[in-house]
Amino acid sequence: MSSSTILLLVLFVFLSLIVSFFQYYKKDKQKRIKHWILFGALRFITFLSLLLLLLPLKFSNYSYHIEKPTLAIAVDNSSSIKNIGKTKEVTSFLNKLVENPNLQEKFSVEVFSFGETVKKLPDSLMFSDKHTDIAQVFNSFSSLYQDEKVATVLLTDGNATYGKDYITQAKLYKHNVYPVILGDTVKHPDIRIDRVNVNKYAFLGNTYPVEVHLSYTGKQAVAKKLSFYLGEKLVATQTLKFNEQHAAEILTVMLQADKVGIHSYKIKIENLEGEKNILNNQREFAIEVLDQQTNILLLSSFLHPDIGAFKKAITHNKQRRFTLKKPSDEIDFSAYQLVILYQPDQTFSKVIERIKQVGINYLFIGGTKTDYNFFNTQQQHFTKQVSGSREEYLPQESVQFQLFQIPELGVEGFPPVQDVFGRLSFNTPTQTLLEKTVNGFATEEPLITFVEDANKRYGYLFGENTWQWRASSFLKEGNFEVYDDFVEKIVQFLVSNTKKERLKLDYKTFYKQGEAIYIRASYFDKTYAFDERKKLQLRLSSKSGGATQQLPLLLKQHYYEADLSNSAPGDYTFKISVLGENIEKSGVLKIIPFDVEQQHTNANLADLKRVGEESGLYFLDKPNVLIDYLLNTSEYTSIQKAEKSEKQLIDWKLLLGILVLSLSLEWFLRKYYGLI
């Protein structure tokens, strides 16, 4: 208890005595002495309790504890560790670290496993994850151990098959990392197929390229045959030569699309003599051959970066052919399935009339050079009252959009688009994909919307500079695929004139084993509003025989979804039915065998050296080297920390009870003695 607290207590006692003496003795000296002493004592208790309540007195309490540094151990739980036959050695190494009493005394030991995700180690390591994301270890630990002293032990072969570049993430990580190398560090002779690049689609009667990346590790000159098989049929072959100086090859082979459907190919390179890993000597891929192509025309009276972005996004799907023309050119509109009107003005008068005659769907794109007064008279869907000023709009996804499934574009953070300022009003029902916002406020006006009218489909985009969205998508994802797929969905909807369907499916025709496999469906009631009350069921059958699976589709935000990610490789047919309704749809898909974790048998020594350049590398067969270093280094020491807590000197509830009791007792006694 501090001296100030003691002084306050003495002062409170003195004040209570003075007041009580003044009230019961000084003012009435004729009272019986036993009366004023009794009542004075009660009044003293009352005043002292009141003072202690009004000025609560506290005292400080200090507790001390020892805070150990953390030893965070991250163990590679991917199937690549099982493939190289190191599961027992890894488990033994881990147990020696965790069970060492000296390490337990010096550190607070925490163990994590990582593969596709990072998580606290369960009872045992399974070495079953299909991907290795090493960068996620550093990201997770950076959040978990922000202000702590941490020694990070990383047990891995250094072969990341998923996620960001882990070397960069390790440089940003502020704690020391001690890599323990799993796998063979001796480079054995190996020839492998590193990557196969091929389009998803080809057109009947055409040839299409297949780009194969191969590499070789070894000192001897070798010549090996690369073969392409369609099923069991050999369709192409070529001999490749490698040596120590020429250790990589990129080969392009043209294959013929002569039959409609999904076709599965296998590529094989001959094995080296005594080669340890032959699993990476072959790859499979699939391609879907289509029997038609869509021609898309973009009309513009001037050049703009938007046009180039649309061309790239549209031709990303090889079944689309893109043509750019001016309104004044000679055009055979019957050759096109969709026309994009880019910022039309008076020069579009004749072509718009021709589009109406032929009956082609169109996508209108407005902007600062659009003549809205002219276009208001060319269609009946909307009117826009324009002014001479411009306005910038940011996109916001509409949760009510139900026409088709779209990829997660992630428009937050996208640059604004520009358009002429003015009130926009639609005269027909629309389905809005993106809405406009200005300075964070929704304008309740569409940015991208669609109209269905007499079996025709029309799209409206009110803003230029969407080419910047494609660039922003690349910065987020590292590629253009998300944005290009977004545009592809819009084009796919607009080129089709089929009547509305109450059950719509969204899926890919082939997948690689190990990747996420989802089949999504949208079901609409008779008014074509999304119906979330129904139950949808999927029936999945393998073409090679076996049991048929039945599983429900789970309701998501505005669609139903079935997860088939754990399905085995093979060819499948499926049927989705709406329970209680005579509505169903069928489809086919193929899962290609592929295990990226089997492509590496050697440890990635070069990258692990860069991660552990300040702390050194450690090896699986020498756990004591790492243990001795961690025990002997002075970098990790325990810290004594003090925690201060303050408590009330006397509980206020007790004081309040004493106060009420003393006042009540004084009143009853005064009443008893006839003093009231």
Side-chain angles (χ1 to χ4, degrees):
M1 189 182 300
S2 64
S3 57
S4 58
T5 302
I6 296 173
L7 288 174
L8 277 175
L9 282 175
V10 172
L11 179 61
F12 289 171
V13 171
F14 181 73
L15 287 175
S16 301
L17 284 173
I18 293 297
V19 173
S20 301
F21 176 79
F22 179 78
Q23 288 186 340
Y24 276 99
Y25 177 74
K26 187 69 176 177
K27 295 177 67 176
D28 191 1
K29 295 182 180 179
Q30 304 303 319
K31 287 182 180 179
R32 296 180 182 179
I33 187 168
K34 65 175 183 179
H35 286 171
W36 70 258
I37 292 177
L38 175 62
F39 293 132
L42 291 174
R43 187 58 58 91
F44 167 78
I45 293 173
T46 299
F47 280 118
L48 182 59
S49 299
L50 183 62
L51 286 173
L52 292 176
L53 274 175
L54 294 177
L55 296 174
L57 299 175
K58 298 179 180 180
F59 68 94
S60 298
N61 184 40
Y62 290 89
S63 61
Y64 299 89
H65 69 277
I66 302 297
E67 185 173 283
K68 298 179 183 180
T70 300
L71 177 60
I73 305 173
V75 188
D76 193 334
N77 194 43
S78 65
S79 60
S80 63
I81 309 304
K82 184 183 295 182
N83 295 335
I84 62 178
K86 296 292 183 181
T87 57
K88 291 183 179 179
E89 292 87 341
V90 173
T91 304
S92 175
F93 188 98
L94 178 62
N95 290 337
K96 288 181 180 178
L97 289 180
V98 174
E99 296 172 1
N100 186 287
N102 295 324
L103 285 178
Q104 291 179 350
E105 183 180 352
K106 182 174 181 178
F107 293 94
S108 175
V109 182
E110 298 183 0
V111 185
F112 300 82
S113 66
F114 68 92
E116 299 173 22
T117 59
V118 180
K119 53 190 176 184
K120 277 276 193 178
L121 184 69
D123 294 336
S124 61
L125 290 163
M126 302 302 294
F127 303 104
S128 57
D129 284 14
K130 298 300 182 182
H131 293 283
T132 307
D133 187 356
I134 302 177
Q136 189 62 32
V137 175
F138 302 115
N139 292 337
S140 300
F141 284 9
S142 293
S143 301
L144 186 61
Y145 303 117
Q146 289 184 357
D147 302 317
E148 298 181 35
K149 192 69 173 178
V150 180
T152 305
V153 176
L154 181 69
L155 285 81
T156 181
D157 59 3
N159 294 310
T161 61
Y162 188 75
K164 299 179 180 178
D165 176 28
Y166 71 87
I167 297 175
T168 302
Q169 301 304 312
K171 299 299 181 185
L172 299 174
Y173 186 60
K174 64 180 183 179
H175 304 292
N176 284 345
V177 181
Y178 304 93
V180 179
I181 301 172
L182 312 183
D184 199 344
T185 58
V186 178
K187 290 189 176 181
H188 299 280
D190 186 40
I191 193 168
R192 56 195 170 273
I193 300 174
D194 294 314
R195 188 165 72 248
V196 177
N197 294 330
V198 63
N199 295 321
K200 295 180 180 179
Y201 305 98
F203 304 108
L204 186 64
N206 292 348
T207 59
Y208 58 92
V210 180
E211 185 181 79
V212 185
H213 293 240
L214 304 102
S215 57
Y216 167 72
T217 302
K219 297 183 178 180
Q220 302 296 324
V222 295
K224 294 297 177 181
K225 186 167 63 175
L226 182 71
S227 303
F228 291 75
Y229 294 89
L230 176 57
E232 299 298 326
K233 180 183 176 183
L234 179 65
V235 294
T237 184
Q238 188 165 339
T239 300
L240 304 175
K241 295 181 179 180
F242 297 93
N243 54 49
E244 191 173 8
Q245 288 73 37
H246 180 67
E249 183 76 46
I250 299 177
L251 176 69
T252 301
V253 175
M254 304 300 297
L255 299 180
Q256 183 71 30
D258 53 8
K259 187 178 180 181
V260 175
I262 302 173
H263 303 288
S264 180
Y265 288 84
K266 182 179 291 185
I267 308 175
K268 292 183 178 180
I269 185 76
E270 289 181 319
N271 302 339
L272 298 174
E273 184 177 351
E275 187 175 4
K276 291 189 64 176
N277 182 20
I278 61 173
L279 295 173
N280 56 16
N281 288 22
Q282 65 180 34
R283 284 286 184 98
E284 291 193 40
F285 69 92
I287 190 164
E288 184 175 6
V289 178
L290 307 170
D291 63 355
Q292 61 181 352
Q293 192 175 46
T294 303
N295 293 326
I296 298 169
L297 172 66
L298 190 147
L299 293 173
S300 178
S301 58
F302 62 94
L303 295 178
H304 192 280
D306 282 349
I307 298 173
F310 275 107
K311 179 180 179 180
K312 291 286 188 181
I314 290 171
T315 57
H316 172 72
N317 183 345
K318 299 304 179 183
Q319 65 176 316
R320 313 291 187 204
R321 180 175 294 171
F322 180 90
T323 303
L324 173 63
K325 287 185 178 292
K326 296 179 180 179
S328 57
D329 292 341
E330 291 291 331
I331 303 171
D332 179 13
F333 284 98
S334 62
Y336 301 98
Q337 288 73 50
L338 176 67
V339 178
I340 301 175
L341 305 174
Y342 189 78
Q343 301 208 43
D345 53 21
Q346 294 284 349
T347 62
F348 281 67
S349 179
K350 291 183 179 180
V351 297
I352 291 177
E353 186 64 31
R354 184 62 180 149
I355 289 171
K356 293 178 182 178
Q357 293 174 359
V358 178
I360 309 174
N361 296 351
Y362 66 74
L363 171 63
F364 164 86
I365 301 176
T368 58
K369 295 184 180 180
T370 304
D371 189 341
Y372 279 103
N373 292 324
F374 158 74
F375 200 72
N376 286 341
T377 64
Q378 299 301 306
Q379 44 75 43
Q380 303 298 320
H381 300 149
F382 77 87
T383 56
K384 182 164 185 175
Q385 301 172 355
V386 298
S387 64
S389 60
R390 300 179 178 182
E391 184 65 88
E392 289 188 341
Y393 302 99
L394 289 170
Q396 176 178 283
E397 294 184 19
S398 172
V399 297
Q400 304 299 324
F401 185 74
Q402 300 170 350
L403 285 179
F404 51 86
Q405 300 296 326
I406 59 171
E408 296 292 336
L409 187 60
V411 297
E412 299 83 3
F414 271 18
V417 295
Q418 280 193 336
D419 197 9
V420 178
F421 180 76
R423 181 67 180 174
L424 177 66
S425 59
F426 270 83
N427 309 313
T428 54
T430 64
Q431 277 279 338
T432 298
L433 175 58
L434 296 179
E435 300 173 338
K436 296 178 181 177
T437 63
V438 178
N439 296 326
F441 297 97
T443 63
E444 298 184 353
E445 290 186 359
L447 182 57
I448 299 179
T449 194
F450 300 93
V451 173
E452 293 185 274
D453 185 8
N455 287 334
K456 298 295 179 186
R457 293 175 173 176
Y458 307 94
Y460 295 96
L461 193 166
F462 298 97
E464 62 180 88
N465 295 330
T466 54
W467 67 269
Q468 297 180 358
W469 293 3
R470 191 169 189 262
S472 294
S473 179
F474 180 84
L475 293 176
K476 285 185 177 181
E477 307 293 336
N479 56 60
F480 298 108
E481 288 188 7
V482 174
Y483 177 83
D484 291 350
D485 288 345
F486 174 77
V487 175
E488 164 61 21
K489 289 289 187 180
I490 294 175
V491 171
Q492 184 179 358
F493 172 77
L494 291 175
V495 297
S496 173
N497 284 329
T498 56
K499 66 178 182 179
K500 291 183 177 179
E501 297 177 326
R502 293 180 61 189
L503 180 61
K504 295 183 179 181
L505 305 185
D506 181 36
Y507 65 99
K508 295 191 296 184
T509 51
F510 51 87
Y511 302 84
K512 286 183 179 180
Q513 181 186 11
E515 71 174 309
I517 303 175
Y518 296 109
I519 296 179
R520 292 172 177 169
S522 298
Y523 175 71
F524 305 93
D525 60 21
K526 292 183 179 180
T527 64
Y528 294 99
F530 180 76
D531 191 343
E532 60 183 22
R533 299 168 300 172
K534 293 295 183 181
K535 294 182 179 180
L536 276 65
Q537 188 173 59
L538 181 141
R539 182 183 178 92
L540 182 71
S541 302
S542 173
K543 290 184 178 180
S544 61
T548 298
Q549 300 181 52
Q550 288 191 358
L551 61 155
L553 279 76
L554 301 179
L555 177 64
K556 300 294 183 179
Q557 188 172 6
H558 285 290
Y559 57 87
Y560 295 86
E561 182 180 84
D563 186 355
L564 305 179
S565 302
N566 294 324
S567 300
D571 295 290
Y572 293 89
T573 61
F574 66 89
K575 183 181 292 184
I576 292 180
S577 306
V578 182
L579 300 183
E581 299 280 352
N582 189 24
I583 298 176
E584 62 182 23
K585 270 197 170 185
S586 302
V588 296
L589 61 89
K590 183 179 184 66
I591 302 176
I592 303 169
F594 181 73
D595 188 352
V596 68
E597 293 294 328
Q598 292 184 352
Q599 305 305 308
H600 306 281
T601 55
N602 285 89
N604 190 343
L605 188 61
D607 286 352
L608 290 176
K609 280 183 177 179
R610 296 174 65 183
V611 172
E613 60 185 1
E614 295 182 1
S615 53
L617 294 176
Y618 297 87
F619 296 90
L620 196 58
D621 58 344
K622 298 179 179 178
N624 290 332
V625 175
L626 176 59
I627 292 173
D628 290 343
Y629 176 81
L630 293 173
L631 292 175
N632 296 324
T633 181
S634 59
E635 187 173 355
Y636 305 104
T637 56
S638 298
I639 301 173
Q640 185 183 60
K641 287 191 173 182
E643 291 186 2
K644 178 182 177 182
S645 59
E646 290 187 343
K647 295 183 179 180
Q648 295 284 349
L649 185 63
I650 304 176
D651 186 14
W652 67 271
K653 294 179 182 179
L654 177 62
L655 285 175
L656 188 61
I658 294 173
L659 177 64
V660 172
L661 179 63
S662 63
L663 286 172
S664 301
L665 188 60
E666 182 181 350
W667 186 85
F668 281 113
L669 289 174
R670 287 170 63 86
K671 186 74 173 176
Y672 177 78
Y673 289 117
L675 300 178
I676 298 178

